[in-house]
Amino acid sequence: MITIGQLARYIGVSTKTIRVYHDKGLFSEPDRDASGYRRYGAKDAIDLVKIRTLAEAGVPLSRIKDLRSATDQEFQQALHEIDNNLTTRIRDLRATQGRLRELAAGHLAPLPTEVAAHLQHLARWGFTPRWVDLQRDLWILVFATHPDRAINLFHDQAETLADLALRQLFLDYDRAHDLNADDPRIDNLARRIAKAIQDRYGPDEPPELDAASAIPALIQDTVNASSPAWQRVDTLIRAHLGA
Amino acid sequence: MITIGQLARYIGVSTKTIRVYHDKGLFSEPDRDASGYRRYGAKDAIDLVKIRTLAEAGVPLSRIKDLRSATDQEFQQALHEIDNNLTTRIRDLRATQGRLRELAAGHLAPLPTEVAAHLQHLARWGFTPRWVDLQRDLWILVFATHPDRAINLFHDQAETLADLALRQLFLDYDRAHDLNADDPRIDNLARRIAKAIQDRYGPDEPPELDAASAIPALIQDTVNASSPAWQRVDTLIRAHLGA
DNA sequence: ACTTGACCTTTCCCTAGGGGCAAGGTTGCA
DNA sequence: TGCAACCTTGCCCCTAGGGAAAGGTCAAGT
């Protein structure tokens, strides 16, 4: 009959672990020898291997305890469930590993992949990093606040930018960032943008989030804050549309 | 700027989790609005996605905190290490899944596979389940107490049983279990076994564990306890060998 | 016979990563 | 104006053990 330390080394756990299993009642206490030491037999070793197998599979100790007194039927069904559980855990870990590698490559984004791809298109089309960053922030906030409608809104925007002429308009908007606020090209730009909006959406409102939502305004404020020229463009567009 | 609840839903964590990350200093507190609510921006969402990716990979929160102030060099190396870690975790989980399935099939044993195979041979050779169970217990104890020498001892035993005549001797031992202790066949059996032992190992000691180890005696005691006939066989063998 | 080191015993506190509740303040919508 | 759904901090609870304290025991060497 072996001691707790021998059993622990043999099975590959700590003595502490074995004592915890005794305390929690999922591994029955063996008889003690004359000096009060626990003495284990072969049956205990077999039991412990089973318990460890379940514990390593992530089964809570309390559940392992319950399983000890389950019928064979229940036990088999539980094993099946645990097996499935393990399969999804492995799949999740692999997904995490994939994301970890994206993080290593610097590509990790909290956005749907199609949005991330779109942002890369922007860079290739000649938009400045400043613009691309602004767009990323915008979409993150929109997806966070309106998960249901964000994707439609995004598709509309992506469609707009697929059109060469309209894209040029946005490129001009991007480049206007560093103009003086009183540059005559700004009024010209605002006029062209207002016309394009009306051509696309008619006299109705352009698609928006809630009328109540403060997000679009907030985004626009953030945008405007970074350049007097952009602020001027915004003001002029509203004037053209509102009139 | 979004609230903690919106950020939590968007990233897929609980608000509690976010607060814990703030408390542990791995996710910096954002500014508060007029009523004291935390208000998050797009950069925070990006940060949180990174933190979650690492946390889901099993990186301790304290390490994630340290990584925030690491150089790019260190960061990349850490990611590599975490990636390897994840790979072994996935491999371990698959091994656990394998053992789980053996458990489901009832084949789980805390013994090397060759020993498990040997035990199955025993059953096919006509040994009773009682004998096979006893052998399993014996080997479990031997492997637990003497991991280094057990395998040699086992090979010696397996070799012995591969010999048809010797195997028959053990089969007779097995069947003697239910004889009366004074059955004349018992002395005959003991004499034949003693002779076989001397033929195999000469006048020297048969291979054993430590002279100090109580295991062989303990096993033998357990064996003897289950049948007066077996106890008699043991006594007679000792007499024949000791003389 | 004595010491030494490696065991064993129990009890207690500590950890990570949150969950859940309480008691209170805020916001949005009808 | 009221109600539901937020938010705030603070507190205790959980799992699966780790580690240390304080003491008893065993085997080996001297």
Side-chain angles (χ1 to χ4, degrees), chain A residues 41-157:
Chain A
K43 305 249 183 310
D44 298 313
I46 293 175
D47 267 14
L48 185 52
V49 168
K50 290 181 185 170
I51 290 170
R52 269 316 276 179
T53 301
L54 292 170
E56 278 164 16
V59 182
L61 302 193
S62 58
R63 178 108 193 274
I64 297 179
K65 179 183 176 185
D66 296 345
L67 245 42
R68 263 189 11 147
S69 58
T71 71
D72 217 51
Q73 173 83 340
E74 291 169 333
F75 187 67
Q76 288 294 331
Q77 193 184 338
L79 284 184
H80 213 107
E81 189 185 314
I82 294 163
D83 193 310
N84 290 341
N85 209 302
L86 220 42
T87 301
T88 71
R89 288 239 318 266
I90 290 171
R91 189 160 34 65
D92 287 355
L93 273 189
R94 266 216 280 270
T96 296
Q97 198 173 31
R99 259 173 285 132
L100 196 70
R101 286 173 186 171
E102 285 181 34
L103 177 55
H107 295 329
L108 193 62
L111 284 170
T113 53
E114 49 184 333
V115 181
H118 171 73
L119 291 172
Q120 295 197 346
H121 279 311
L122 290 185
R124 279 208 299 280
W125 282 332
F127 285 92
T128 61
R130 183 210 320 119
W131 181 271
V132 176
D133 289 349
L134 221 48
Q135 291 290 310
R136 175 169 23 247
D137 287 6
L138 186 156
W139 288 115
I140 287 174
L141 291 181
V142 172
F143 273 88
T145 50
H146 301 83
D148 44 346
R149 262 164 303 172
I151 197 66
N152 292 331
L153 221 57
F154 168 73
H155 282 148
D156 178 68
Q157 173 77 352

Side-chain angles (χ1 to χ4, degrees), chain B residues 81-94:
Chain B
E81 190 185 313
I82 294 163
D83 193 309
N84 289 341
N85 208 301
L86 221 42
T87 301
T88 72
R89 287 238 319 267
I90 290 172
R91 189 161 34 62
D92 288 354
L93 273 190
R94 267 213 280 268

Side-chain angles (χ1 to χ4, degrees), chain B residues 111-121 143 150-152 154-155 158:
Chain B
L111 285 170
T113 54
E114 51 183 334
V115 182
H118 172 73
L119 292 172
Q120 295 199 346
H121 280 310
F143 273 89
I151 196 67
N152 291 329
F154 168 73
H155 282 149

